[in-house]
Amino acid sequence: MHKIGSFLFLMTLLSTWNVLQGQTLLRGISNWKTDEIRAYRVSDFISETEVEIGRAKVDTNDVFEFTFVSSGIEKIILRGANYYSWLYIQPKTTYFVELPAQEEFIGSLERNKEIEMLFFRLNEKDINYKILGFEAWMDETIADIYQLKDVHPEEFISKVRAFKNETAQIYTEENDPFFLNYVKYSVGITIDNFNIIGGPSKSDKFEFYLSEDSIQFKNPTYIAFAQLFYEKYFYQLDKDIKTKVESAIRTASLTALLDALESDPSIQTRKRAEFVTLLTCKEAFSQGYLDRALIFDLLNSIQQTSPVEEHRYIAGNLLNDFKRMQIGMTAPDYPLSESKHFYQYKGKWVYLHVFDPSNELCITEISALKKLQSKYGKNFQFITIYPKKANYSKSEQRNLDALTWDKYPLDISDEIWKNLEINSYPLYLLFDPNLTLIASPALSPTPNGRYETIEKVFIQTLRP
């Protein structure tokens, strides 16, 4: 059925589709080249942990459907092939969406490609409707006044204040705390973050945005603002507090660190000190300005001793994230089949190929892969892993048979997918003879935007 036919078919079904008690229903058309859409709930906006909550088959009409049970507004991510899209859902609501096709070529170095979904019949009281409307208005306002920032700063500040006053007036009767806080912290991230004379000071921002005792773990703009406000915060502390923080870091004492941070005017409470420590652990791990062993010690202490349930959960998520494969780490001995383990490939460079026999881009790269394997197979071990399923079509099986080196079907729940952060196809990873991860993602067998392929790396590696 063509797209127009699918659309009419879906609209007909939608007219008879009732929201069940306590449930949120999501039905859509998918133009993605995948027969399955996976849904994930974002359970923690600091570690950005996604928890799978459902899978939906895309039928012959390109239609898919999810039923969710939720007690409040949540961010839901839909994933398929190399693509993802997202929306907010609220309880007892019906959503009708379309996942547009990606017109641009998706390179094998792209693990994720965000595609904006289209909404149909979106109620004006829905959280997505309100957020989209507000963001369009704020973006337009910033575009209109931004050029004044450096040329006429006083006029710029005046217009910023006018926008904030108008925002407060327009949403006077709004009673949804999630949306009101979304607006508040969106303004904090954008307009109030301009570095300009006459703008709000750091203490002003703290008093307005962060001084309340409650921490809004479920609101992404609150977390984003806090991450921005406390960016590299240990280096911004005054001399006395910084000395105490450095002493706590040397002894890896969480208690001493929280004692020191609690005395800072922009933290003030034990709960917020622990919250800022979590933000710092995430930032420092990725940027490398704190020893990783220290970060692990702090997170382990928070996970085991924190009185705040959310903090224990976030610490656990960050620990799980940090234990995933990073460049320079030696891989675990992944079981690949009943008789084969990853460590049995020690001694040769390993070019790991993540494959989906139904993915068009995966298929187009088979020929280039075969040529490379024929040329470099003595020095580089090619290994293919692909999602295990009960039955493959004849064309899918032909694509698998075309790969003449070692290949392994692995269940999608296998730990290797999460450990190597595999969420798209095709994907390539390169390991040295000790099975230390050298590149993730590695170059593909076909040229990227700079006309580079993995053959360049092969040649450089073999060069005396």
Side-chain angles (χ1 to χ4, degrees):
M1 185 179 290
H2 294 296
K3 182 176 176 181
I4 294 176
S6 299
F7 179 81
L8 294 174
F9 174 78
L10 186 51
M11 291 300 286
T12 301
L13 289 178
L14 184 66
S15 64
T16 60
W17 193 28
N18 296 318
V19 180
L20 302 176
Q21 183 68 29
Q23 293 185 331
T24 294
L25 302 180
L26 171 65
R27 179 172 286 183
I29 296 173
S30 172
N31 295 293
W32 297 352
K33 293 179 180 178
T34 181
D35 59 1
E36 183 180 74
I37 305 291
R38 291 161 286 147
Y40 297 83
R41 171 182 289 119
V42 180
S43 63
D44 157 22
F45 288 103
I46 292 180
S47 70
E48 299 176 286
T49 295
E50 297 178 17
V51 178
E52 185 174 332
I53 55 175
R55 300 184 184 189
K57 291 294 182 183
V58 180
D59 67 19
T60 55
N61 297 302
D62 300 323
V63 174
F64 65 92
E65 178 180 310
F66 286 100
T67 301
F68 303 114
V69 177
S70 59
S71 58
I73 293 171
E74 293 184 289
K75 185 176 182 177
I76 301 295
I77 296 176
L78 303 183
R79 292 189 178 276
N82 289 53
Y83 313 134
Y84 78 95
S85 193
W86 61 272
L87 76 161
Y88 292 101
I89 65 167
Q90 56 192 41
K92 303 180 184 179
T93 306
T94 296
Y95 293 100
F96 174 43
V97 302
E98 180 179 353
L99 303 177
Q102 175 60 35
E103 296 179 358
E104 298 177 2
F105 178 78
I106 303 295
S108 62
L109 293 185
E110 295 189 67
R111 297 190 182 198
N112 290 297
K113 186 72 175 182
E114 181 179 357
I115 297 179
E116 242 178 71
M117 70 172 61
L118 303 176
F119 291 93
F120 298 94
R121 295 187 178 180
L122 196 57
N123 189 293
E124 64 181 16
K125 294 183 179 180
D126 182 77
I127 185 64
N128 296 283
Y129 184 96
K130 292 189 288 189
I131 286 175
L132 289 169
F134 165 72
E135 289 187 340
W137 175 37
M138 183 173 66
D139 290 346
E140 184 179 349
T141 299
I142 293 174
D144 287 343
I145 68 174
Y146 186 77
Q147 68 273 13
L148 299 173
K149 183 172 75 73
D150 298 318
V151 182
H152 300 291
E154 292 182 0
E155 185 179 354
F156 174 78
I157 291 174
S158 175
K159 288 184 179 293
V160 164
R161 288 173 178 162
F163 170 74
K164 292 166 75 172
N165 290 335
E166 189 177 359
T167 302
Q169 292 172 5
I170 287 176
Y171 297 121
T172 299
E173 298 182 6
E174 175 63 56
N175 55 15
D176 179 355
F178 182 94
F179 176 65
L180 289 174
N181 282 312
Y182 189 98
V183 170
K184 176 179 178 179
Y185 292 100
S186 294
V187 170
I189 293 166
T190 53
I191 290 177
D192 272 353
N193 195 44
F194 290 125
N195 186 17
I196 187 169
I197 296 173
S201 66
K202 194 168 189 70
S203 60
D204 291 336
K205 292 179 186 178
F206 175 79
E207 286 301 321
F208 183 73
Y209 290 107
L210 295 168
S211 62
E212 295 180 4
D213 289 337
S214 61
I215 296 173
Q216 298 170 36
F217 295 100
K218 296 296 184 181
N219 197 306
T221 52
Y222 177 95
I223 299 299
F225 179 84
Q227 288 172 328
L228 191 62
F229 184 86
Y230 292 112
E231 186 176 12
K232 292 187 178 176
Y233 201 70
F234 286 6
Y235 298 101
Q236 301 178 34
L237 298 166
D238 69 34
K239 185 177 179 180
D240 290 341
I241 299 176
K242 189 176 181 180
T243 299
K244 294 177 182 177
V245 165
E246 289 172 347
S247 174
I249 288 174
R250 283 195 298 273
T251 58
S253 171
L254 175 64
T255 300
L257 177 61
L258 299 181
D259 286 342
L261 292 177
E262 193 175 353
S263 63
D264 184 71
S266 291
I267 293 181
Q268 299 183 359
T269 68
R270 194 76 167 188
K271 183 177 181 180
R272 195 174 295 112
E274 201 169 74
F275 175 70
V276 172
T277 300
L278 288 169
L279 296 178
T280 300
C281 283
K282 179 186 177 181
E283 180 186 73
F285 188 88
S286 63
Q287 298 184 15
Y289 62 79
L290 288 180
D291 182 77
R292 290 189 171 184
L294 167 68
I295 294 172
F296 276 86
D297 285 344
L298 293 175
L299 290 174
N300 275 313
S301 295
I302 292 174
Q303 186 184 32
Q304 295 168 14
T305 66
S306 175
V308 182
E309 180 182 357
E310 292 88 349
H311 288 176
R312 296 195 301 271
Y313 180 72
I314 294 166
N317 287 338
L318 288 173
L319 284 168
N320 288 335
D321 283 348
F322 297 162
K323 289 174 182 176
R324 291 177 187 170
M325 283 298 295
Q326 309 280 333
I327 301 297
M329 292 174 61
T330 301
D333 190 15
Y334 302 116
L336 300 172
S337 69
E338 289 185 3
S339 61
K340 203 74 173 180
H341 285 244
F342 197 51
Y343 278 11
Q344 291 173 256
Y345 290 103
K346 276 189 175 182
K348 290 178 70 174
W349 287 79
V350 172
Y351 190 47
L352 184 64
H353 169 221
V354 184
F355 182 70
D356 178 353
S358 65
N359 181 282
E360 185 175 325
L361 182 54
C362 286
I363 297 165
T364 63
E365 293 188 341
I366 290 176
S367 177
L369 268 171
K370 294 184 73 172
K371 290 178 182 178
L372 280 173
Q373 197 275 338
S374 176
K375 189 174 181 180
Y376 297 97
K378 290 183 180 180
N379 301 99
F380 293 86
Q381 175 67 53
F382 283 49
I383 301 174
T384 294
I385 60 173
Y386 57 96
K388 184 178 183 179
K389 65 179 184 179
N391 296 296
Y392 294 98
S393 68
K394 289 183 179 180
S395 62
E396 289 173 339
Q397 191 59 52
R398 280 197 302 271
N399 296 331
L400 287 168
D401 292 341
L403 307 178
T404 55
W405 48 87
D406 293 357
K407 52 184 181 283
Y408 303 96
L410 298 176
D411 192 90
I412 200 67
S413 63
D414 193 291
E415 183 62 26
I416 194 171
W417 304 99
K418 181 183 290 185
N419 186 259
L420 292 175
E421 296 188 273
I422 298 168
N423 48 32
S424 66
Y425 310 95
L427 183 68
Y428 302 89
L429 300 96
L430 184 64
F431 297 83
D432 73 8
N434 293 317
L435 300 184
T436 298
L437 184 61
I438 301 300
S440 175
L443 289 166
S444 79
T446 55
N448 62 12
R450 295 187 296 274
Y451 302 100
E452 297 171 321
T453 74
I454 191 63
E455 185 170 17
K456 175 184 177 181
V457 179
F458 289 175
I459 293 171
Q460 290 173 343
T461 302
L462 296 175
R463 189 173 293 157

